[in-house]
Every structure is written in structure tokens, then in C-alpha cells.
Amino acid sequence: MFTVYQEKPFLKTHDCLIIGLFDQPVKFTGSLSAVDEAFSGELTELVKSGDISARESKIAKIHTFGRLAAKHLYFVGLGKEKEYSFERLREAFGTAFKSIQSDKREEAAIYLDSFISEQVDEMDAAHAMSEALALSTYKFEGYKQKSNEPEKELNSVTVYAEKADAEEVRAALTVGYVYGKGTNSARTLVNMPGNLLTATDLAQHAVELGEQYNFEVEILEKEEMLKLGMGALLAVNQGSTEPPKMIVLKYQGKDDWQDVIGLVGKGITFDTGGYSIKTKAGIVGMKTDMGGAAAVLGAMEIIGELKPEQNVVAVIPATDNMINGHALKPDDVITSMSGKTIEVLNTDAEGRLVLADAVTYAKHHGANYLVDVATLTGGVITALGTETTGALTNHEAWFEQVLEASYEAGEPIWRLPIFESHKKRVRNSKIADLNNSPGSEGHAIMGGAFIGEFAEDTPWVHLDIAGTATTNKAGCLGPSGATGVMSRTLALLVERFEK
Ligand code: BES
Ligand code: ZN
Ligand code: ZN
């Protein structure tokens, strides 16, 4: 995909050359003066007339008519240099690649030096570019009968970085692309419908990842779950004809199996709500209830590619939440793997049940630090909307690490509290240790507080992605549908982890 040259981009022939412009106001000075000269100052006129704008994410396309070796120039607006950031650059590149994709261009060149500022160096720009390329051009193929015409896709990008070491730029491009591709794999899993992505299919995907990256793979079947006493996961699966799977992937990047990061992802392949059944409007879209599992698998793909010196265990409890004569009912009392008993007040609060056993099992595999990711509550959408993931924790320092990773990944999170009063509500049952639905106030907090009962003293962060796992708006970094949210945050968290 990428070729890197440590030179200026004006001599080699390309279908298009992408150049960044800061709004300060626009000046074709320094290395860009060659471009303006080639056009005998006419570009400056185009800036004056507003045909070329350097405002944030504005794209101006110019045909060169042979005045430069490249056939077309794509000027990308970067806004004011003072307000410039990695995030803004990633969006600007996303907009540029979407434009190039809709113009059906198969190859492009980029003048990386024109995207550099005090805040963003060559390596950052290379990472932002390749990540944006993967993210912005993502499509879910779907299941429509195909036309015979193959679609033209961008398949070759030449990067000119005069001032940086070409090897280092190449490495940064690879890392950015891996982060983008891992996110896209998560998106694809979430976009797949429940009939075509069952717990068995999810497990098969994990097995394939394991083969590709040499992870140790363990897929627990129902019989083994019974032996281990995973009564919470089994309870949710009771009404289904699809077998449940407890999926475990282990990646060992250190000599010893110590300081293990446990990544736990909710893998409900379809959530009907069970006997506390969802409404006919509320049930549509519940194929995405394995968004947490997808985030964990996307992160494992990135980890498999980049091989950080860390230890990771990924645990995914997978089943659908269905109804039949055997199904779990409200008022039932079940026993989780931890031994804690749970009074089920709402079968639609199934995520916290399967995660209870998964968190216990992650600890069983030696996890010393936990993050769980789940499309857990509608309440988090009410609290934080669809752009911010809800976070809860039992450990300040561990939360700080997750927060920093999310910031760097451009996947914002915001914290909700767990106070003693919240724990009391989760523990409020006359006949069991816990209840799974203590009333409608503070749903998102209750969901997290319940899972926290199983994390116990192990540092733990819960990420509720019910609002962020999907979007109904196409943006500069991807289409509507699954976002793959938290794949990058989890992978960065692992890469940057400090004890
Ligand atoms: N999977 C849902 C949460 C959800 C809602 C995800 C909307 C994505 C979009 C979850 O299992 C659920 O049904 N939660 C209930 C919890 C309640 C019964 C305590 C909810 O949020 O209403
Ligand atoms: Zn539910
Ligand atoms: Zn659910």
C-alpha cells in the first residue's frame, strides 16, 4: 500500500498529490513556493477568490494541466495552526481520502511535510494518515447481489517526507494502518446480523485470530461451563437453541505470566430481552449487542500485529438472549461462577450476567488488571449521548491509564460514579446476594456497579459503549453503522501499560 520517499513530491508522476494548507492566512511559502511558481502565482488568486480554502477539512481539487508532474492537486484545509492537533489531522485526512475514493482514484501521493506543525511531527502525521486511510475508506460489503463491475479502490499511496527518516515514517504508517484495520474488523463483526454471526461464529473468528497470531485459544463448551459453575452465562443461554461459548485468547509478550491485562467483552449476538422482552422498535439493532466482544477482538488483532511486551487475556462470553420454555425468567435465582447468587429481576439485564462469569474467569486466568467493554445500558445513552463512552472504575490509577489511551485513540470516555449507596442497591435482594436490576434510576451506574461486585479488589474499568458502538451518521472517518469503538483504546492501553 505505502511507498516512502525522502524527497520533494513535485517530480514524479502521480494521479493526485495531496497537500495540507494551514489557515494563517494561506501562504504558498517555503517548500510550497515551488507549487505556486509552477502556477505563476495563480494559486494565490484561487485562495483570494475562495476556490482554495484552508478551513478545517475543506478540500480543493485543482487540475495541473501539466504544470506539475502530478495530474491533480488536492489541497486539504487544516484550519488555524494554533488549534491544530493529531485528532484534527486524522479527520482532515479522512475527508481527503473519502473525496479521493468517491473520485475513484486508485493511487495518490502525499506531501507529508505540509501537514507538520509544532504539535504534530512526521511520525504522528504518518500514523494519522494511514489510520485515517483505513478508517475512512471502510465499507461493509453486506449481502446484496453484486454487479459485475469491480469497484475501483485506492490501493497505492506514495508518501513524500523530506525531513524525516524514511524507515521511521514507514514504521509509523504500518502502525497507523494496523490500528485502522483492527477497528474495521471490529466494525464488520458488529455489522453482521445475528443469524450469520452466532456465538459459534464468533468463536470461530477468535480461533482464526489465534492461528494467525499464535495466541493460545480456549473455547469452553456448555459441558465445561457446567463443570466450572458458570451459572450466569448458562442462565442467559437457557432459552436458546444456539450453544454458548466462553472464548479465551491469551497473548504472552513477557517471559512470565505476570501483570496480566484482562480484556472482557460482552458477546450477546442478539438481545431479544428474554421474557422481559424488548419492544418491536427497541429490538431492532440488537445484533450489535456483541460490540464489546468485537472491540476486544479488534484490539487483539492489533496486539497480534504489533506484539507489545505485555501479557493479555481476552475473555468473551458469547450467546444470544432468546426465549423458549427453558428460558430464564424474572424472579429466578441463579448462581454465578464466583459463588455469588443473583436474583434476576429483568432478563433484559443479561449483559451484566454473562460479564459476571467472564470477569471471574479472566481472574481465574491470572488477570491482574481488568477492562470490560459492553453495550450494557440504554441509560448511558441518556446520560452521555452517542459520542461518549461511559466509564466506571474501582481504581483511580488504572482508570487514568484507560483515560489516556482513550484520549490518544480519539475515543472519548467520561466517568460516572460508584458510591456505597449504589453498591447497596445492587446488593438489595431478600433472597440472593445481588439483584440484576435495581430500578430505573441510574441504569448505567447500576450495570457497572453489578459487574464491579465480581471484579472485587482487582483494578477494573467498565466501559459502556451502548451509545458509541454504532452511529447513524456517516462521518469523515467512516460510514454509518458500527464504529469499532474501543478497539484502538484497548490496544493502546496494552501498548502503553505501566505497572
Ligand atoms: N443490550 C441492551 C442495552 C442497549 C440498549 C444496547 C440500547 C444498545 C442500545 C441491554 O442488554 C439492556 O437491555 N439493558 C437494559 C437494562 C435494564 C433492563 C436494567 C436497558 O438499558 O434498558
Ligand atoms: Zn438486554
Ligand atoms: Zn444486551
Side-chain angles (χ1 to χ4, degrees):
M1 177 62 93
F2 302 108
T3 312
V4 181
Y5 292 113
Q6 201 169 351
E7 56 191 68
K8 283 197 170 58
F10 306 121
L11 299 174
K12 291 201 173 67
T13 309
H14 290 289
D15 187 22
C16 64
L17 173 62
I18 307 173
I19 295 174
L21 287 181
F22 285 106
D23 200 1
Q24 46 196 13
V26 181
K27 280 194 215 101
F28 292 98
T29 48
S31 36
L32 286 186
S33 53
V35 188
D36 204 30
E37 275 160 28
F39 283 83
S40 325
E42 284 164 25
L43 291 181
T44 306
E45 289 306 313
L46 290 179
V47 171
K48 280 189 199 150
S49 66
D51 291 298
I52 295 178
S53 163
R55 272 189 291 142
E56 237 183 290
S57 291
K58 285 273 177 210
I59 309 286
K61 298 179 215 173
I62 309 288
H63 201 295
T64 63
F65 295 109
R67 297 183 196 195
L68 285 173
K71 213 164 157 195
H72 305 88
L73 298 182
Y74 279 61
F75 288 106
V76 183
L78 302 175
K80 301 253 178 282
E81 196 173 348
K82 273 194 295 223
E83 295 158 17
Y84 194 48
S85 65
F86 181 83
E87 195 57 34
R88 178 175 288 188
L89 177 56
R90 181 164 41 197
E91 286 178 6
F93 274 128
T95 312
F97 287 126
K98 279 190 91 162
S99 172
I100 283 168
Q101 191 184 37
S102 75
D103 294 345
K104 303 204 184 314
R105 304 202 184 284
E106 292 178 87
E107 80 83 22
I110 292 173
Y111 190 17
L112 202 66
D113 294 345
S114 63
F115 293 89
I116 304 309
S117 75
E118 258 180 38
Q119 302 94 316
V120 178
D121 66 13
E122 265 92 354
M123 301 318 138
D124 288 339
H127 182 123
M129 192 273 278
S130 56
E131 191 170 295
L133 172 63
L135 291 175
S136 64
T137 58
Y138 170 79
K139 296 196 282 297
F140 181 62
E141 292 298 341
Y143 308 95
K144 293 189 187 196
Q145 297 181 74
K146 299 274 171 347
S147 75
N148 292 328
E149 230 178 278
E151 282 205 19
K152 284 190 179 166
E153 278 180 9
L154 184 60
N155 55 42
S156 156
V157 176
T158 309
V159 178
Y160 291 89
E162 215 187 330
K163 294 175 193 141
D165 177 68
E167 250 340 286
E168 283 179 33
V169 172
R170 246 173 241 127
L173 287 169
T174 304
V175 172
Y177 204 56
V178 162
Y179 269 84
K181 285 285 183 188
T183 308
N184 289 346
S185 299
R187 286 170 165 178
T188 294
L189 290 173
V190 175
N191 283 328
M192 288 175 76
N195 62 327
L196 301 179
L197 188 83
T198 61
T200 305
D201 298 319
L202 207 53
Q204 183 54 33
H205 177 82
V207 168
E208 283 162 20
L209 274 187
E211 280 166 5
Q212 192 172 351
Y213 299 114
N214 242 336
F215 299 143
E216 198 185 306
V217 184
E218 181 189 56
I219 311 288
L220 295 187
E221 304 294 337
K222 205 168 176 169
E223 299 68 39
E224 292 149 298
M225 293 177 202
L226 275 165
K227 273 189 214 140
L228 287 162
M230 293 182 173
L233 173 56
L234 286 167
V236 173
N237 180 256
Q238 249 167 243
S240 179
T241 50
E242 284 292 334
K245 306 278 167 179
M246 184 64 96
I247 302 166
V248 181
L249 293 177
K250 274 188 187 176
Y251 164 76
Q252 184 163 352
K254 294 185 179 184
D255 293 340
D256 303 313
W257 190 244
Q258 279 173 0
D259 304 323
V260 180
I261 304 169
L263 305 179
V264 180
K266 172 175 172 181
I268 298 293
T269 56
F270 193 84
D271 183 12
T272 68
Y275 274 105
S276 313
I277 196 164
K278 289 186 181 292
T279 62
K280 64 176 176 285
I283 204 166
V284 177
M286 279 302 139
K287 66 174 185 181
T288 64
D289 213 15
M290 32 57 70
V296 169
L297 291 169
M300 289 306 282
E301 184 177 318
I302 300 168
I303 290 163
E305 288 283 345
L306 302 181
K307 306 207 182 313
E309 287 178 17
Q310 307 287 1
N311 293 331
V312 184
V313 59
V315 180
I316 292 164
T319 175
D320 45 13
N321 183 22
M322 304 291 284
I323 300 174
N324 66 13
H326 301 285
L328 182 69
K329 306 178 294 300
D331 288 349
D332 285 357
V333 173
I334 59 177
T335 305
S336 65
M337 185 187 178
S338 72
K340 291 188 186 186
T341 56
I342 304 160
E343 183 180 9
V344 176
L345 297 179
N346 192 323
T347 61
D348 198 12
E350 84 298 337
R352 64 199 75 181
L353 299 179
V354 301
L355 288 166
D357 281 347
V359 161
T360 304
Y361 201 49
K363 291 201 292 188
H364 184 91
H365 273 290
N368 313 101
Y369 300 85
L370 288 164
V371 182
D372 82 79
V373 188
T375 47
L376 205 75
T377 64
V380 83
I381 310 175
T382 310
L384 297 173
T386 53
E387 265 143 34
T388 311
T389 293
L392 292 94
T393 188
N394 63 2
H395 196 281
E396 299 297 322
W398 180 227
F399 174 74
E400 279 302 317
Q401 293 202 34
V402 177
L403 182 67
E404 283 204 4
S406 82
Y407 183 74
E408 201 178 328
E411 299 180 318
I413 69 176
W414 194 257
R415 192 166 153 189
L416 299 167
I418 305 179
F419 296 129
E420 283 308 310
S421 58
H422 299 126
K423 294 183 190 168
K424 253 193 202 154
R425 283 175 63 197
V426 166
R427 293 172 188 162
N428 180 24
S429 165
K430 285 206 174 78
I431 58 171
D433 299 322
L434 303 168
N435 82 83
N436 81 331
S437 183
S440 63
E441 297 97 359
H443 263 178
I445 296 176
M446 289 305 130
F450 182 92
I451 299 166
E453 294 291 314
F454 298 85
E456 296 176 309
D457 295 333
T458 306
W460 154 83
V461 173
H462 162 66
L463 298 172
D464 192 337
I465 58 168
T468 50
T470 55
T471 175
N472 50 23
K473 286 195 300 277
C476 52
L477 292 172
S480 63
T483 59
V485 76
M486 292 300 137
S487 295
R488 299 199 299 281
T489 294
L490 293 181
L492 268 167
L493 173 71
V494 168
E495 272 208 286
R496 305 266 189 275
F497 172 71
E498 278 176 38
K499 205 181 156 182

